Amino acid sequence: MLGREPRLRLPEDRRAYLLALARDRYERGAEAVLRDRTGGTGPVRERRVKDDEYDHVTQVTLGDTTVRAGHGAILTDLEWAFRVLTPVDELVTRAVAPRDRDHVDRSSARWVLSERRSKETWSAVTAYRHSPDPEHRHFVLDVLGCYRLTQSSRRNSYEKETADLLVAWAAEGEDDPGVLAEVLRALGEVEHREAEAVGLRHAGHPDPRVRAQVPCLLLGWDGTRPTLGAAARTALLELAGDEHGRVRAVTGGALAAAHDQSPGVTDAVVALLRDPVADVRACTVEAAADGTDGTAAVADALVALLDADDLGTRLNAAYGLLRRNDPRTGEAIARVGSHTRPGYEHDHRLSALWSWEWNNRDAGRRDDRQA
């Protein structure tokens, strides 16, 4: 509705009216606006609904009339469209007020703050990592994530500053496990020479959410494939026996991706491919599918997964055997079933299986002609 450059197209008094109306609706709240509109005094019904593909908002109903909240998002978007630089503190307050991390008020504030690339805004936002409120600290990570998503096209990406801040944050002893897990997750998405050291320090954390973020910090990279240092290998082998399934699942993915054919790693990968928890098997086989380790025990474990209920697990098992040139590849492809699957039209694994069958069918025809 605003179109392009509404600040230049709409007269100043109209812009002021829209801002005042949005602020009034936000400060009064959706229920008060609804009661004024209907004159009703009975109980209201509230429901959390999808506002768009990603975000949610509260929908309030009284009688036959329904309104939606989210006026904080409307106010934030209008201010940005009209080039009003709202104080960072006010935007942060709007973001965390709903106490809902998928709320439209939060997403709008996050987006606007990530678009404001000045050093002053960066400093004001990241200062909230010292707030006593975990929601403030989590919101800092939300904004940093938005910076990362657009850093390749921006001059002020704060890539190095983000990595340094996350390392310092983890070292300072974040006391909320949920926030700490998100700090480690974010660190795993950037490059920093201290990432492995941070992962090793948190490998024995009592909260599984934190431990589940450690494996990705322990993987090195030699330019073509993930690698494992001695300390990282020892820590991952310990995590492979973790009591929590999610931790084992992520560890299985890391060990299978960096499989160096050492006996300890092979044994751990095979055990995780046979884990009683389906998600552990699925995560491990997804990474093992891209491997070319040639370990007989791993190949045998892949064959055993061809009877899995989950199609993705069966696909990965067959694809892994194909990549290893295993003589059981033809049998594996047959056990996967139809190559025509809704939602899998562009799946690289199905394409590889189809190509293998086509090539081997051609080879069989050539052999028949020669005979």
Side-chain angles (χ1 to χ4, degrees):
M1 291 176 68
L2 289 174
R4 292 175 59 86
E5 292 297 337
R7 182 177 63 91
L8 302 179
R9 192 180 69 257
L10 297 177
E12 182 178 357
D13 60 341
R14 184 63 178 171
R15 300 198 306 270
Y17 167 76
L18 291 172
L19 287 170
L21 180 60
R23 182 174 288 278
D24 175 73
R25 294 285 178 89
Y26 173 63
E27 292 178 346
R28 291 168 60 206
E31 182 179 339
V33 171
L34 177 61
R35 291 191 184 281
D36 283 352
R37 180 177 297 178
T38 63
T41 58
V44 299
R45 303 189 303 278
E46 292 190 359
R47 188 160 65 96
R48 186 176 184 264
V49 298
K50 292 278 285 186
D51 187 70
D52 56 26
E53 185 177 358
Y54 304 104
D55 304 314
H56 290 78
V57 71
T58 302
Q59 185 168 281
V60 187
T61 301
L62 179 59
D64 296 328
T65 305
T66 297
V67 300
R68 286 189 174 184
H71 291 97
I74 295 173
L75 178 58
T76 298
D77 291 346
L78 283 174
E79 289 168 341
W80 183 242
F82 298 156
R83 298 300 184 265
V84 176
L85 289 183
T86 311
V88 170
D89 292 345
E90 186 171 344
L91 289 175
V92 172
T93 298
R94 289 180 201 167
V96 303
R99 316 306 279 189
D100 180 349
R101 292 174 183 174
D102 295 320
H103 197 279
V104 289
D105 288 2
R106 187 183 183 107
S107 64
S108 287
R110 177 180 63 232
W111 173 252
V112 167
L113 287 170
S114 71
E115 289 290 289
R116 289 168 53 172
R117 296 288 171 135
S118 70
K119 185 64 177 178
E120 292 76 13
T121 296
W122 160 269
S123 299
V125 170
T126 56
Y128 273 94
R129 73 184 177 94
H130 299 296
S131 168
D133 186 347
E135 283 301 313
H136 284 153
R137 306 200 296 275
H138 197 283
F139 182 64
V140 173
L141 295 166
D142 280 354
V143 178
L144 292 180
C146 275
Y147 272 95
R148 186 185 59 79
L149 289 174
T150 58
Q151 65 188 15
S152 61
S153 60
R154 301 300 182 88
R155 183 180 63 185
N156 293 338
S157 67
Y158 298 100
E159 185 175 3
K160 181 181 183 303
E161 292 88 342
T162 295
D164 289 341
L165 181 144
L166 293 170
V167 168
W169 194 338
E172 289 167 1
E174 168 62 55
D175 59 8
D176 185 283
V179 176
L180 177 58
E182 288 301 303
V183 171
L184 299 187
R185 182 196 57 76
L187 180 58
E189 296 175 350
V190 299
E191 294 184 8
H192 199 284
R193 64 184 183 279
E194 295 295 326
E196 180 180 317
V198 173
L200 291 171
R201 284 200 303 272
H202 292 89
H205 195 278
D207 195 294
R209 291 172 295 176
V210 176
R211 298 197 302 277
Q213 299 302 325
V214 168
C216 66
L217 297 174
L218 300 182
L219 293 182
W221 186 257
D222 68 359
T224 58
R225 62 185 300 274
T227 59
L228 289 176
R233 182 185 295 105
T234 299
L236 285 172
L237 291 177
E238 181 72 22
L239 289 169
D242 195 274
E243 65 181 5
H244 198 278
R246 185 57 193 162
V247 179
R248 297 198 306 279
V250 179
T251 303
L255 284 171
H259 189 191
D260 56 8
Q261 302 192 50
S262 61
V265 173
T266 297
D267 291 345
V269 170
V270 170
L272 292 165
L273 287 170
R274 296 171 175 169
D275 194 276
V277 178
D279 185 52
V280 177
R281 301 193 298 271
C283 288
T284 306
V285 73
E286 182 178 5
D290 287 321
T292 55
D293 54 81
T295 309
V298 172
D300 290 344
L302 293 179
V303 171
L305 290 173
L306 293 170
D307 292 324
D309 293 333
D310 175 57
L311 173 61
T313 296
R314 298 201 306 275
L315 268 176
N316 281 320
Y319 182 64
L321 291 167
L322 183 155
R323 284 180 53 83
R324 289 166 171 81
N325 294 315
D326 191 281
R328 295 165 288 187
T329 297
E331 173 197 350
I333 293 175
R335 289 168 68 179
V336 167
S338 172
H339 296 354
T340 304
R341 304 274 184 164
Y344 287 81
E345 291 82 2
H346 305 290
D347 191 283
H348 70 283
R349 299 164 300 180
L350 276 178
S351 177
L353 301 187
W354 182 89
S355 297
W356 187 94
E357 284 193 314
W358 179 269
N359 292 334
N360 280 270
R361 193 181 302 122
D362 279 354
R365 286 195 289 263
R366 287 194 299 271
D367 291 343
D368 290 342
R369 287 196 298 270
Q370 290 171 1

